[in-house]
Amino acid sequence: MKKHRAQARWNKGLKDGQGEVKTGNGAIQSSYSYASRFGDGNSGTSPEELIGAAHAGCFSMFLSALMGNQDITPEYIETKATVTLGEQDGAPLIQKIELVTEAKASGLDQEAFQQLAQQAKQGCPVSKALGAVPEITLQANLVE
């Protein structure tokens, strides 16, 4: 079983503090703050942005694997994730994740591609982990 690690450190209070997140191997390291998460701050990342990156990456790999099961190797799969952080009962809540993916792959028609994309949305481990998110949508485009 492969274990993946990450860590975060937060300094000071919620609104005046700041933190840093990094992956265990150090490949990703970023600051984050109240402003980058809840406001208009653009310096640093947010937990939701990292969830979006993880979801987009997992979905793309899973879709590639599903294509590979049909002896199709995509030229590329590019997925963007938009994570909407809202509020419910006075507490922050991830309300929606929108996945938009584009793939270029020979030997696959639109209908088959849509089916594989839906399977990837349901089956990738990050999608499964995010099962509590009320709405996850997918727009999938196969380019020629």
Side-chain angles (χ1 to χ4, degrees), residues 12 14 61 73 95 103-104 112 124:
K12 301 197 180 191
L14 174 63
M61 288 180 75
T73 301
Q95 294 179 323
K104 185 171 184 178
C124 90

Side-chain angles (χ1 to χ4, degrees), residues 49-93:
E49 192 172 61
L50 296 170
I51 287 170
H55 201 181
C58 184
F59 172 88
S60 295
M61 288 180 75
F62 203 87
L63 181 55
S64 179
L66 292 173
M67 288 180 184
N69 290 342
Q70 296 188 11
D71 295 322
I72 295 169
T73 301
E75 185 174 320
Y76 70 86
I77 299 170
E78 182 177 330
T79 305
K80 297 176 183 173
T82 301
V83 178
T84 301
L85 181 63
E87 190 176 299
Q88 181 176 328
D89 299 326
L93 174 74

Side-chain angles (χ1 to χ4, degrees), residues 58-74 77 79 99 101 103 105-124 127 138-142:
C58 184
F59 172 88
S60 295
M61 288 180 75
F62 203 87
L63 181 55
S64 179
L66 292 173
M67 288 180 184
N69 290 342
Q70 296 188 11
D71 295 322
I72 295 169
T73 301
I77 299 170
T79 305
L99 298 174
T101 193
S106 299
L108 194 61
D109 65 26
Q110 280 291 344
E111 184 178 335
F113 174 69
Q114 294 297 324
Q115 290 174 351
L116 292 176
Q118 287 297 324
Q119 287 176 21
K121 177 184 165 231
Q122 298 301 319
C124 90
S127 286
L138 172 64
Q139 178 185 337
N141 303 306
L142 181 64

Side-chain angles (χ1 to χ4, degrees), residues 6-18:
Q7 66 185 53
R9 179 180 173 123
W10 186 260
N11 300 305
K12 301 197 180 191
L14 174 63
K15 292 187 178 181
D16 67 340
Q18 63 181 8

